Amino acid sequence: MRLFLSSYRFGAHYDRLAALVGTPGRVAVIPNACDAWPAAWAGAVTSDSVPLRKLGYTPETLDLRDYLGRATELERALAEYPLVWVRGGNTFVLRAQFARSGADLVLRKLLADDALVYAGYSAGACIMGPDLHGLDELDDPAEVAPSCGVEPRWDGMGLVDRPIVPHIDSATDPDGYGNRLAARYRAEGTAHWALTDDDVVVIDGDKTEVLR
């Protein structure tokens, strides 16, 4: 299993993503964490596709809404990509769309088979944790029902053993929600990874590194 989980895009460690992926090629850009914000959706895709293209990748948008109830077709589509790029937005919306499309099951299988690299930032990283409790301090679960037609889920993918708290001391979080959640976890004795926008968690097989 190869995971590159960050607070914001490549953080300060693009070299480690490059090492995981190898030669740049096609990348599936999954922007469904932004599904509650239709006016911002296209711009979100562009903002991630441009830096990927500059680094030699060929980004292609993969909208999970095109695969609702079609997990077999989704697995076939994702298996064509050496890299999946899951951008930030609302973690609860992203979790709902993973479940509705079967991406949660498909990605677990493909990652277990080491068929691709999963790179996710902000919501795309947070969803990998064991559960989403506490992240409602950063993202609004109430956005799920109107955008996805289902109730929010509170289980994460469970591919890492602790929650990820993004945007520590970040200008993207001027109200300090991430700092407060990390402080709460510390007070409760809850193991977690608190990431600044430079930090990255890299999992390569049985090796886990937190890069600061």
Side-chain angles (χ1 to χ4, degrees):
M1 181 170 66
R2 289 171 291 163
L3 305 177
F4 182 91
L5 308 176
S6 67
S7 174
Y8 187 70
R9 292 187 181 157
F10 311 109
H13 303 280
Y14 168 69
D15 59 316
R16 295 306 299 275
L17 177 61
L20 286 178
V21 176
T23 303
R26 297 173 68 201
V27 50
V29 175
I30 298 179
N32 294 97
C34 297
D35 285 352
W37 317 321
W41 205 90
V45 171
T46 299
S47 71
D48 279 59
S49 297
V50 168
L52 285 164
R53 193 172 290 113
K54 287 180 178 178
L55 290 165
Y57 295 90
T58 304
E60 301 172 13
T61 304
L62 191 147
D63 187 346
L64 295 177
R65 293 173 294 186
D66 293 336
Y67 294 91
L68 300 184
R70 299 171 54 215
T72 300
E73 290 89 340
L74 177 61
E75 181 176 354
R76 190 178 301 120
L78 286 174
E80 296 179 1
Y81 295 94
L83 172 63
V84 171
W85 179 269
V86 185
R87 65 156 289 126
N90 186 313
T91 308
F92 296 95
V93 170
L94 182 63
R95 180 67 184 92
Q97 302 297 46
F98 266 39
R100 296 174 75 213
S101 64
D104 47 2
L105 303 178
V106 167
L107 283 169
R108 281 191 185 98
K109 180 177 184 297
L110 293 172
L111 286 165
D113 293 342
D114 200 30
L116 50 74
V117 175
Y118 178 101
Y121 74 88
S122 195
C126 292
I127 197 174
M128 289 288 126
D131 68 72
L132 308 184
H133 290 91
L135 291 173
D136 49 318
E137 296 186 22
L138 284 71
D139 298 329
D140 187 359
E143 292 186 331
V144 172
S147 58
C148 305
V150 296
E151 292 302 308
R153 294 180 57 143
W154 294 85
D155 61 319
M157 291 279 286
L159 293 181
V160 297
D161 65 358
R162 65 197 66 192
I164 289 174
V165 182
H167 307 310
I168 299 299
D169 299 328
S170 172
T172 65
D173 181 17
D175 295 316
Y177 293 116
N179 289 61
R180 287 202 291 274
L181 178 57
R184 191 186 108 189
Y185 282 151
R186 287 195 299 271
E188 295 172 348
T190 300
H192 64 285
W193 286 312
L195 304 182
T196 72
D197 288 349
D198 284 340
D199 300 338
V200 175
V201 176
V202 174
I203 296 175
D204 187 3
D206 59 0
K207 185 178 182 181
T208 298
E209 294 179 89
V210 182
L211 307 178
R212 304 292 187 181

